[in-house]
Amino acid sequence: TKGAPVFDFGLGEDHDRMVGMCNASTGYYAVSVYDSNRNLTTVTSAIDISTGTHSIGHYFDGTRLDVFVDGVTYSTAGLSITFDTTLRDVGTIWMGGGFALAPTWTGNAMTDTAQLPSHANNGSCTWTGTGTEANCMSMQGGKLVQVEAGYASTDIGYYVKTISAVNATGTNLQYKGRVIHNGQAAYSTVPLTVGLRDGTKQVHTYLGEYYCVSDQSSVVVYPQADLKSYEFVLSIASKGSDYMTFLNRKLFVDGSANLIYTNATNALQWGDVDAQAGSNAGAVTSYVKWYVGGWNAPLFSAGSISEIAIWQGDKKYLWPLLYNSGSRISVKQLLGVNDNYLPKRTKTVVQMRNVTDSPSLSAGSGMTIPDMGCYVVGDNLEASLNMSLYPSGTDAAVSIAVNFDGAHPLATYYDWSDAYQNVPVGTYYSVMATGSIPKKTYLGLHHVTGMWSVNSGTVLGPKCSEHVNRLVVKSEV
């Protein structure tokens, strides 16, 4: 389709991105590259791809950009373009579509500066909270650092930026950052918030180390992702009663028709808005950007893709061979590969830990057991948890659970538990929980943890100086 992306690979909207477009007027295929410093380079072919069948290739090495269309190579040499190293690990590829080209940002709260966002030269944001900005935030290397130790136990502290969003036309918020530490909070409490309020509705996303919380509707979802190992780009699009959240330009939360929470404020906010004791977090923010006037929604191109192949390194010499003067040959034939899929298999992960500390708890909410967690790739998950509990109080109702973090929907964690009454002090008791996700979740990385709770008023916890705790997880890929 003229004016629509065909190929879109990247991390951000206006940086670390390569996008192939069908020109809106001529239909010529063109490739645009945004480097990490937001410099734009474009190579345009002279071939209309809006009709017929075509063979297309791309090659980029930081000094040159080559585009191959139907036997002809178009090239721009002598470039000096660098990408963010995280693009290699978390970049997302769209085929047969992608996002519109980068918008003109309405504002830029923080980018490459040594001054805090409250400073007039860096956004004039308002610091809000019980903690002081000087203690809770600092600028290091042009990035904003949320200092976990700078917050007192129940402090809050976050930035607010007044904007001129319009609910009916839509607003998009872009956040790039990384969660360093999520504090010692229950799984449902995430003390780093990125929020958008358009004067009518509000969208708040609470970010943790390996999951986030989205509760803009009556349905709360807890999507799973690694938000600690790398800097990520979060995009929140809000319009009318709909919202969508993209993580590294991949759909993360589909909130269509689920934006129900009203708010008359017209502002952005980010930081720690949670006053729960001991739930402070550390984070690094590279930028916060936004634009008003519609979503930067994905566009899809009419047509079909026969094959796609991605190689590491320079394989330009294969382009003419694949095109074969118009009599195209199969990528599978060229590589000698019979199948275009991976066979199904089952993997088992065993996690065993000797838990030596007993966390205190005086309520029945679930708390993660220290060190009793593992990561597994799959969609069908089963798990069993064996725990030796060492009581420090009597008349205790003990419950343990297997928590499949990232299952959708996950209004509450799925648990299978056993309870024991009148447990004597100083005696080990073995408890076991088993189960599986009631229905298949998405194929991807999931975090499976063991959790425990006791009745109100009792101090009790997993302790294993001489006993073995065991978590076994099976996944189908």
Side-chain angles (χ1 to χ4, degrees):
T1 301
K2 289 184 178 181
V6 178
F7 166 88
D8 196 349
F9 169 60
L11 177 65
E13 294 293 324
D14 61 347
H15 65 89
D16 303 297
R17 180 186 179 192
M18 177 187 292
V19 56
M21 295 283 296
C22 180
N23 186 273
S25 57
T26 63
Y28 290 169
Y29 186 69
V31 174
S32 297
V33 174
Y34 297 86
D35 72 358
S36 58
N37 295 315
R38 300 177 179 84
N39 298 316
L40 174 63
T41 300
T42 300
V43 174
T44 303
S45 74
I47 298 176
D48 182 359
I49 66 166
S50 63
T51 60
T53 303
H54 306 275
S55 180
I56 298 173
H58 316 88
Y59 173 71
F60 177 72
D61 65 0
T63 61
R64 67 182 302 113
L65 172 62
D66 294 335
V67 178
F68 175 90
V69 185
D70 295 345
V72 182
T73 299
Y74 303 85
S75 179
T76 296
L79 304 178
S80 180
I81 295 179
T82 57
F83 280 154
D84 192 316
T85 55
T86 59
L87 179 65
R88 174 194 60 205
D89 300 300
V90 298
T92 301
I93 296 178
W94 291 68
M95 295 301 302
F99 292 79
L101 293 181
T104 301
W105 301 104
T106 304
N108 204 344
M110 285 178 301
T111 302
D112 303 326
T113 179
Q115 297 171 324
L116 291 171
S118 59
H119 196 279
N121 292 334
N122 190 21
S124 298
C125 301
T126 301
W127 174 256
T128 303
T130 55
T132 61
E133 182 184 21
N135 293 336
C136 299
M137 298 287 180
S138 68
M139 295 300 302
Q140 300 178 22
K143 297 184 179 182
L144 178 71
V145 178
Q146 181 173 310
V147 183
E148 181 179 0
Y151 290 84
S153 180
T154 58
D155 268 350
I156 61 173
Y158 57 93
Y159 288 104
V160 177
K161 173 65 177 180
T162 300
I163 60 175
S164 299
V166 180
N167 176 261
T169 57
T171 303
N172 189 290
L173 167 63
Q174 299 275 323
Y175 174 93
K176 183 181 181 183
R178 176 185 170 202
V179 180
I180 301 301
H181 186 237
N182 191 35
Q184 300 299 323
Y187 78 97
S188 60
T189 304
V190 186
L192 175 62
T193 301
V194 179
L196 164 63
R197 299 176 177 180
D198 60 16
T200 304
K201 300 289 183 67
Q202 70 174 31
V203 180
H204 284 178
T205 299
Y206 310 97
L207 303 172
E209 294 179 27
Y210 297 105
Y211 64 99
C212 82
V213 180
S214 179
D215 66 346
Q216 281 66 243
S217 67
S218 56
V219 178
V220 182
V221 295
Y222 300 79
Q224 169 86 37
D226 183 355
L227 304 179
K228 181 176 182 179
S229 301
Y230 317 98
E231 281 200 323
F232 58 87
V233 176
L234 181 74
S235 176
I236 302 175
S238 171
K239 182 179 181 181
S241 297
D242 304 321
Y243 79 96
M244 288 187 177
T245 300
F246 295 88
L247 182 67
N248 300 327
R249 308 178 73 247
K250 180 172 68 174
L251 183 61
F252 199 43
V253 178
D254 184 353
S256 300
N258 281 322
L259 187 57
I260 63 173
Y261 291 156
T262 60
N263 196 298
T265 306
N266 204 312
L268 309 177
Q269 69 177 49
W270 67 95
D272 187 349
V273 302
D274 185 4
Q276 178 170 326
S279 66
N280 299 321
V284 176
T285 299
S286 291
Y287 64 67
V288 178
K289 301 186 290 187
W290 62 93
Y291 67 96
V292 178
W295 293 17
N296 195 20
L299 305 173
F300 294 94
S301 183
S304 62
I305 297 175
S306 298
E307 291 183 307
I308 175 175
I310 300 173
W311 289 288
Q312 183 177 6
D314 186 355
K315 300 292 190 296
K316 291 182 296 184
Y317 64 90
L318 294 176
W319 290 344
L321 180 61
L322 289 169
Y323 181 61
N324 195 25
S325 299
S327 300
R328 300 168 186 81
I329 66 172
S330 167
V331 175
K332 291 192 294 182
Q333 177 184 344
L334 176 69
L335 299 179
V337 177
N338 295 322
D339 300 319
N340 57 3
Y341 60 89
L342 294 176
K344 183 182 295 185
R345 64 188 180 91
T346 300
K347 182 178 181 180
T348 301
V349 177
V350 179
Q351 188 87 348
M352 293 184 291
R353 286 290 185 271
N354 286 329
V355 182
T356 57
D357 296 324
S358 297
S360 298
L361 186 68
S362 59
S365 59
M367 297 292 289
T368 301
I369 301 172
D371 297 323
M372 289 301 292
C374 64
Y375 295 92
V376 63
V377 175
D379 52 7
N380 259 350
L381 305 180
E382 297 179 355
S384 62
L385 172 66
N386 292 82
M387 286 302 305
S388 293
L389 300 173
Y390 189 85
S392 57
T394 58
D395 194 20
V398 184
S399 177
I400 68 171
V402 180
N403 179 23
F404 295 96
D405 196 9
H408 178 78
L410 189 58
T412 59
Y413 60 83
Y414 300 115
D415 66 338
W416 297 263
S417 56
D418 291 315
Y420 290 80
Q421 299 290 336
N422 300 316
V423 178
V425 177
T427 303
Y428 281 100
Y429 275 82
S430 178
V431 187
M432 181 176 182
T434 62
S436 61
I437 291 183
K439 60 181 179 180
K440 293 181 68 172
T441 183
Y442 63 87
L443 177 61
L445 177 68
H446 295 278
H447 190 199
V448 184
T449 57
M451 304 187 75
W452 67 282
S453 62
V454 297
N455 62 312
S456 180
T458 304
V459 178
L460 184 76
K463 187 171 184 179
C464 198
S465 59
E466 58 188 68
H467 292 63
V468 174
N469 301 295
R470 181 182 176 95
L471 174 66
V472 181
V473 182
K474 294 181 179 180
S475 69
E476 185 179 89
V477 180

